[in-house]
Amino acid sequence: MVTIPKEVQSMMSEQKFIVVGSIDLNGMCNLSPRTTFYFSEDVIYWLDFFKHKSHYNFKNVPWVSVAVFDKEDLKGYQMKGKVSFVTNEKEKSRITDVICRSATGKTSAKIFERMAHAEQPELIMFRPHAVYSLNPAEDSGTAIMIDRDSETVSLLGVK
């Protein structure tokens, strides 16, 4: 398990957005900005309202990259890891409500009642397996933190 470094957590809190990179079965990449998310020390959650390209990519190829950056200071971080869909209804409801309250100040019930025609969003959970710096002055090819499990090591080519 990789803990998200405090400086990455701080940047996510300050910048209030992340960019998620996924890939489809043909190898075509997709980027998707996310502004409604919640994180703990080892997980990032976000709501998937639209269920388009990223949604299908997550289902077929769960390995993704998540980036956060500060364009003013030209600093940033990239995390590589896996996503999954939260299916436990109690946990899904709790975290969805946390995300909605932090983004709008309203409960998820209040928000979703106005979206009666739309499907309820999926809750995506991302667990980082490696963290890299995107800072121009640093070696962004070397992981700051990495999970040394055999799957991560083989996929990321770690020695």
Side-chain angles (χ1 to χ4, degrees):
M1 177 179 77
V2 168
T3 300
I4 300 170
K6 294 292 183 201
E7 58 269 24
V8 178
Q9 293 181 39
S10 177
M11 189 173 284
M12 287 190 295
S13 291
E14 291 167 10
Q15 298 303 314
K16 298 185 183 355
F17 74 91
I18 56 176
V19 179
V20 178
S22 62
I23 191 165
D24 70 17
L25 291 173
N26 295 313
M28 184 64 72
C29 57
N30 184 63
L31 291 175
S32 178
R34 305 291 170 149
T35 58
T36 53
F37 60 93
Y38 163 75
F39 62 90
S40 66
E41 68 178 22
D42 61 348
V43 176
I44 303 172
Y45 297 94
W46 62 82
L47 298 175
D48 192 8
F49 284 96
F50 303 112
K51 301 177 187 165
H52 294 142
K53 293 178 292 243
S54 295
H55 179 83
Y56 295 109
N57 292 352
F58 299 156
K59 283 187 175 264
N60 293 304
V61 182
W63 282 92
V64 303
S65 291
V66 174
V68 59
F69 52 92
D70 180 333
K71 69 179 184 176
E72 298 296 321
D73 292 338
L74 294 178
K75 292 183 177 182
Y77 298 94
Q78 177 186 36
M79 295 169 277
K80 296 181 182 189
K82 285 179 126 176
V83 293
S84 60
F85 293 81
V86 176
T87 57
N88 177 294
E89 288 303 321
K90 186 175 181 180
E91 187 70 357
K92 184 177 177 180
S93 178
R94 183 185 72 77
I95 296 170
T96 297
D97 204 50
V98 168
I99 293 171
C100 290
R101 283 179 188 273
S102 70
T104 66
K106 297 178 181 170
T107 66
S108 57
K110 287 284 186 195
I111 293 169
F112 298 149
E113 75 184 20
R114 294 181 184 182
M115 299 172 55
H117 63 283
E119 285 185 56
Q120 295 293 315
E122 294 279 0
L123 179 63
I124 309 297
M125 178 176 71
F126 169 78
R127 287 196 182 276
H129 287 249
V131 180
Y132 297 84
S133 170
L134 293 177
N135 301 349
E138 296 180 23
D139 181 9
S140 60
T142 303
I144 297 169
M145 301 186 81
I146 191 160
D147 187 347
R148 296 213 175 259
D149 66 76
S150 60
E151 184 181 31
T152 302
V153 169
S154 66
L155 283 171
L156 298 180
V158 178
K159 296 183 175 39

